[in-house]
Amino acid sequence: MMKSQAAESQQLTFVHHLGQAVVGLVALAGDLTLFGLRMASWIIPGWPRGNVLWPIMYQIGVLSLPVILITGGFIGMVLSVQAYEQFALMHMESQLGTVVNVTLLKELGPVLAAVMLAGRVGSAMAAQLGTMRVTEQIDALTALGANPVAYLVVPRFLACFLLIPLLTLFADGIGVLSGWWFSTQVLDVESFYYWHHSRRFVTSYDLLSGILKSVFFGTAISLIACHRGFHSRAGAEGVGQAATEAFVYSFVVILGIDFLLGYLLMELYPILWK
């Protein structure tokens, strides 16, 4: 029997493997969608109590703040360095603030805050729920009459959904300040022109676009992390794989959402804002 399976596996071509990968990806997307719908149906009836929600929000929001601030600060300075070289060649250093602030508010602030959240919080949630699955704590909750989705998934989803826009604002703010400080104190760009051109070209639409993206990022991170944790395989290897998959899948989905929303918001700008 094993020889037959090995011979059959050797006969599979690249097309077969590609087909299997596509079928697996579609099945995963469908299962994740059903998991999200199941979670959404429990948001109102399963709204968590404060003593359940606050500790999770503290873990996700307060403890993520240092890494968000450090990342945002360095990104603002890196953007200044990279953009300054190009602008200096065209003698347009005074407009450096426009590029730094637009890029931070629309793209890098939301995306990097989401990636940091996926790495620090998403992996931890997947590992925590995976451990509960492996040790049959989730089965015990079901046996006691509690709904594990309402008790475990809804609080984590709400915490990510509500807090990632705030974390994004912190990343944007520290990035803007660090970019301004480095541009004016180290690169000798005039502070007046830095802010003057920023006010001319950076709009509230740029800030709102980034915040809207962060809401979708937070939703995707929480659902993917909880889904992988709920479907963790047995053993330490299975839990570790669930945590890794939570980050990898979240990272890919974040980039996909960023591209789709970026294109959609660009098309909607003349309709909604002008």
Side-chain angles (χ1 to χ4, degrees):
M1 184 64 180
M2 293 181 62
K3 290 183 178 179
S4 174
Q5 291 178 346
E8 184 179 350
S9 176
Q10 290 178 355
Q11 293 175 355
L12 293 179
T13 64
F14 171 76
V15 176
H16 291 96
H17 289 294
L18 180 62
Q20 289 178 345
V22 172
V23 171
L25 185 62
V26 172
L28 177 62
D31 195 41
L32 184 61
T33 302
L34 293 176
F35 185 79
L37 293 175
R38 185 180 168 198
M39 185 279 302
S41 68
W42 278 100
I43 290 180
I44 301 301
W47 190 271
R49 296 179 178 176
N51 60 352
V52 175
L53 186 59
W54 289 120
I56 296 175
M57 294 184 77
Y58 176 80
Q59 290 285 335
I60 293 176
V62 177
L63 297 186
S64 297
L65 199 53
V67 70
I68 292 290
L69 294 177
I70 292 172
T71 305
F74 277 112
I75 288 301
M77 291 187 287
V78 169
L79 277 175
S80 299
V81 173
Q82 297 300 324
Y84 180 80
E85 291 184 2
Q86 306 302 320
F87 277 68
L89 293 175
M90 298 180 288
H91 304 289
M92 297 173 61
E93 299 92 331
S94 61
Q95 300 196 26
L96 187 61
T98 304
V99 173
V100 172
N101 292 327
V102 167
T103 307
L104 271 170
L105 297 182
K106 291 181 67 174
E107 293 295 333
L108 289 184
V111 169
L112 289 176
V115 170
M116 289 299 104
L117 200 67
R120 204 196 77 80
V121 175
S123 299
M125 286 197 300
Q128 186 180 17
L129 295 178
T131 303
M132 296 180 72
R133 169 63 72 189
V134 171
T135 56
E136 299 182 349
Q137 295 179 57
I138 294 179
D139 296 330
L141 282 174
T142 305
L144 291 172
N147 188 299
V149 172
Y151 188 73
L152 298 174
V153 179
V154 169
R156 288 166 173 79
F157 166 76
L158 289 174
C160 285
F161 182 81
L162 296 173
L163 290 179
I164 192 170
L166 294 176
L167 293 174
T168 300
L169 285 174
F170 278 110
D172 290 344
I174 196 69
V176 168
L177 289 176
S178 66
W180 163 77
W181 175 82
F182 195 83
S183 299
T184 57
Q185 303 301 316
V186 180
L187 301 177
D188 292 329
V189 176
E190 284 289 338
S191 181
F192 171 79
Y193 292 109
Y194 187 92
W195 292 118
H196 174 70
H197 291 297
S198 295
R199 282 194 297 269
R200 285 182 59 198
F201 296 103
V202 180
T203 66
S204 301
Y205 188 79
D206 299 323
L207 177 62
L208 294 176
S209 298
I211 299 301
L212 179 64
K213 285 180 181 179
S214 71
V215 173
F216 282 88
F217 294 158
T219 301
I221 292 168
S222 59
L223 286 180
I224 291 172
C226 292
H227 179 268
R228 297 323 300 159
F230 260 59
H231 295 82
S232 172
R233 297 183 181 89
E237 184 179 354
V239 175
Q241 185 177 1
T244 302
E245 288 176 349
F247 175 71
V248 173
Y249 292 171
S250 297
F251 184 68
V252 173
V253 170
I254 286 168
L255 295 182
I257 292 174
D258 183 50
F259 166 71
L260 293 175
L261 283 181
Y263 180 77
L264 179 63
L265 291 168
M266 182 185 69
E267 293 293 321
L268 290 176
Y269 177 73
I271 302 172
L272 298 177
W273 208 254
K274 286 187 176 179

